[in-house]
Amino acid sequence: MRFFSFFSRNIFPILLVNFIGILGYSIVIPILIFIVIDLGGNGFIYGILGAMYPFFQLIGAPILGKMSDRIGRKKILIVSQAGTFIAWLLFLLAFILPKTTLWSSDSEFTGNYIMTLPLLLLFVARIFDGFTGGNVSVANAYLSDVSTDDNRDKNFGMMGASTSLGFVLGPAVAGILASTFLGEALPIILAAVISLIAIFVITIKLPESNPCVVDTGNLGFRSFRRFFQVEHKECYTGDGEGGDNSNSFWKILKLENIPLLYTVYFLTFLAFSLFYAGLPIYASTILEWSPTELGVFLAYSSIIMILVQGPLLSYLSGKVSNIFCIAIGSILLSLSFYFLSISDIVVLYLANTLLSLGNGLMWPSFLSLLSKTGNPQMQGAIQGYGNSMGSFASIFGLILGGVLFESIQMTVFMIGSGIFLLIFLLVIINHFKTKKAAQQEKPIVKPV
């Protein structure tokens, strides 16, 4: 019965918003490489296009995160989803425009590609979506607002399950729709519709979670200034940390364990960026998979993660520590990336199973640990800067992954395996150092 707390009234709206957002995003994953190639691009252009979103999210996420601390999570989620909706409309426009050649290149570094007008428009769409794409960090801050120490791990597990559910349905639906007479355009149309639905869900169903903002839910959009009015001043007076609401990066970085947590954030996204850059090229060239086969592979992964992040993490909540789940998860991920380098269908699905188990255990536990750091008025900034760490890693990883796969192919997954092994060592070493320091600071009570 604990699993059905997924539908608890206080967190269901944000889980639904997260699910809708991920569903819209994941629909394009199995077909994007084919769209890029059809419009004149290649693996190099695919990697650069993939890096556009995290690069501009690197800029936008901290701004949106800090704004959500001041003017509310709900408003920023509306802005973010509106940006996503506009980006999908630009994607659809790319299917209509003629394939006018802007320039072409054929070099050893970039390979052979033609930059066409619709392909350039895809870059504009990803840039716009990336800059307004603070929904993940703000959604995590929202969940932190409504969680207590008793249900925090379980709630973040449910958030992970809603993410995985979106990843199950997205690629599967894309594979089916892409085989219709509209081709790759139909999944994009559905993604735009889903983003529009998300805007209405946030506006109507999602209450504001930050107690330090004025509730402007009934004001409507008649006044832009009133919609973005500032927080109650008394929320930021009194205690030391709450009194200074600057929430700059250097202030956040001084918080205990934040440097380590941000390092883990960066390394995790770096490894997965190598995976997401290499897998579509791996699947379409070496394995010769269709979009449907790639969609099934990704959907299988997400099904396993739903089971881990839902029932399993709900059961483990309060029984095992976040550190334990992160450590075990990182070891499983290291093994999975190693097996991904072996081009055998049975081994690949074994790797996928281990990857799903590892990610399902590690990432929600990590986000729960991160949400316990700082005070509630810092969560937007903490999550926003963390998201920037991931974005920075994604920029580097997506470009590097695309380039490396052209030269070393499956060996790129071995690099990811080493990264997760490094995460395991960092977490374990820090855990024992913290434990030893706590024991040394504990006062010795002599018997009378």
Side-chain angles (χ1 to χ4, degrees):
M1 293 296 292
R2 295 185 70 188
F3 177 65
F4 290 98
S5 61
F6 183 95
F7 297 100
S8 61
R9 292 173 63 186
N10 66 323
I11 68 169
F12 178 70
I14 192 63
L15 296 181
L16 181 61
V17 168
N18 185 64
F19 165 74
I20 291 173
I22 294 299
L23 181 63
Y25 169 79
S26 64
I27 279 177
V28 80
I29 291 177
I31 61 174
L32 185 57
I33 181 66
F34 300 97
I35 294 173
V36 169
I37 291 174
D38 182 59
L39 295 178
N42 59 1
F44 172 77
I45 292 297
Y46 173 75
I48 298 294
L49 180 64
M52 287 297 99
Y53 182 93
F55 178 78
F56 283 89
Q57 192 181 51
L58 172 70
I59 301 170
I63 297 172
L64 295 176
K66 289 196 290 184
M67 285 179 67
S68 78
D69 289 332
R70 296 179 60 83
I71 66 174
R73 318 291 187 210
K74 180 174 181 174
K75 300 182 183 69
I76 299 304
L77 286 170
I78 291 173
V79 170
S80 177
Q81 281 300 328
T84 299
F85 175 67
I86 294 172
W88 289 130
L89 293 182
L90 293 174
F91 252 83
L92 289 174
L93 183 59
F95 285 96
I96 302 173
L97 293 175
K99 297 180 183 179
T100 305
T101 300
L102 301 177
W103 72 82
S104 62
S105 175
D106 186 6
S107 68
E108 185 176 345
F109 178 72
T110 65
N112 183 18
Y113 75 86
I114 300 172
M115 180 57 66
T116 61
L117 181 61
L119 186 56
L120 183 63
L121 189 61
L122 293 190
F123 276 85
V124 176
R126 296 303 286 169
I127 289 169
F128 193 81
D129 193 16
F131 189 79
T132 59
N135 53 331
V136 174
S137 58
V138 178
N140 288 333
Y142 185 103
L143 192 62
S144 178
D145 292 339
V146 300
S147 298
T148 65
D149 289 339
D150 294 331
N151 62 19
R152 188 177 304 273
D153 293 350
K154 180 173 65 177
N155 285 351
F156 274 93
M158 294 301 171
M159 179 70 93
S162 72
T163 298
S164 299
L165 185 60
F167 271 112
V168 168
L169 297 179
V173 168
I176 295 171
L177 296 182
S179 62
T180 64
F181 72 100
L182 288 175
E184 287 88 358
L186 188 55
I188 302 300
I189 293 172
L190 182 58
V193 172
I194 289 171
S195 295
L196 187 61
I197 292 172
I199 295 173
F200 284 103
V201 170
I202 296 169
T203 304
I204 298 170
K205 294 294 186 182
L206 195 71
E208 178 55 59
S209 66
N210 191 340
C212 291
V213 297
V214 179
D215 184 6
T216 57
N218 297 321
L219 290 178
F221 291 90
R222 291 176 297 174
S223 171
F224 182 84
R225 187 173 180 179
R226 292 177 70 198
F227 178 73
F228 285 102
Q229 62 182 303
V230 184
E231 74 288 347
H232 290 300
K233 299 298 183 183
E234 57 267 22
C235 291
Y236 299 97
T237 58
D239 61 15
E241 285 185 324
D244 177 12
N245 191 40
S246 62
N247 285 355
S248 68
F249 176 72
W250 300 112
K251 176 185 175 182
I252 298 297
L253 203 60
K254 291 177 183 178
L255 296 176
E256 186 178 5
N257 288 327
I258 280 291
L260 173 68
L261 292 174
Y262 280 178
T263 300
V264 172
Y265 213 126
F266 176 88
L267 291 174
T268 301
F269 269 72
L270 177 61
F272 271 105
S273 295
L274 296 176
F275 170 78
Y276 283 116
L279 182 65
I281 305 172
Y282 184 25
S284 62
T285 56
I286 296 175
L287 300 176
E288 297 183 346
W289 283 359
S290 67
T292 301
E293 289 174 304
L294 179 56
V296 169
F297 187 78
L298 294 173
Y300 169 79
S301 173
S302 298
I303 290 172
I304 301 297
M305 282 194 283
I306 289 173
L307 296 175
V308 174
Q309 295 167 334
L312 182 58
L313 279 184
S314 182
Y315 172 77
L316 293 177
S317 178
K319 297 182 177 66
V320 297
S321 67
N322 296 134
I323 295 296
F324 178 82
C325 290
I326 294 170
I328 296 298
S330 58
I331 284 293
L332 291 176
L333 285 166
S334 180
L335 288 172
S336 72
F337 271 63
Y338 173 78
F339 288 131
L340 280 172
S341 63
I342 302 173
S343 297
D344 179 83
I345 189 67
V346 175
V347 177
L348 285 174
Y349 267 89
L350 172 62
N352 200 5
T353 303
L354 293 176
L355 183 145
S356 307
L357 289 170
N359 192 34
L361 281 174
M362 176 192 174
W363 194 243
S365 302
F366 172 80
L367 290 178
S368 177
L369 190 64
L370 183 64
S371 74
K372 297 174 185 176
T373 309
N375 60 47
Q377 284 72 52
M378 287 181 160
Q379 272 306 305
I382 290 172
Q383 298 291 342
Y385 286 125
N387 195 279
S388 287
M389 294 295 106
S391 297
F392 184 66
S394 296
I395 297 164
F396 182 65
L398 287 171
I399 297 175
L400 183 66
V403 172
L404 286 180
F405 198 88
E406 294 291 334
S407 56
I408 62 175
Q409 296 190 335
M410 290 87 73
T411 308
V412 73
F413 298 125
M414 297 287 289
I415 299 174
S417 177
I419 290 172
F420 279 113
L421 184 60
L422 175 60
I423 290 173
F424 170 79
L425 294 174
L426 288 173
V427 169
I428 291 299
I429 292 172
N430 183 75
H431 172 68
F432 283 109
K433 283 177 62 178
T434 303
K435 190 175 181 180
K436 183 178 179 181
Q439 290 175 344
Q440 292 175 344
E441 292 177 3
K442 188 181 297 183
I444 301 175
V445 180
K446 296 181 179 180
V448 179

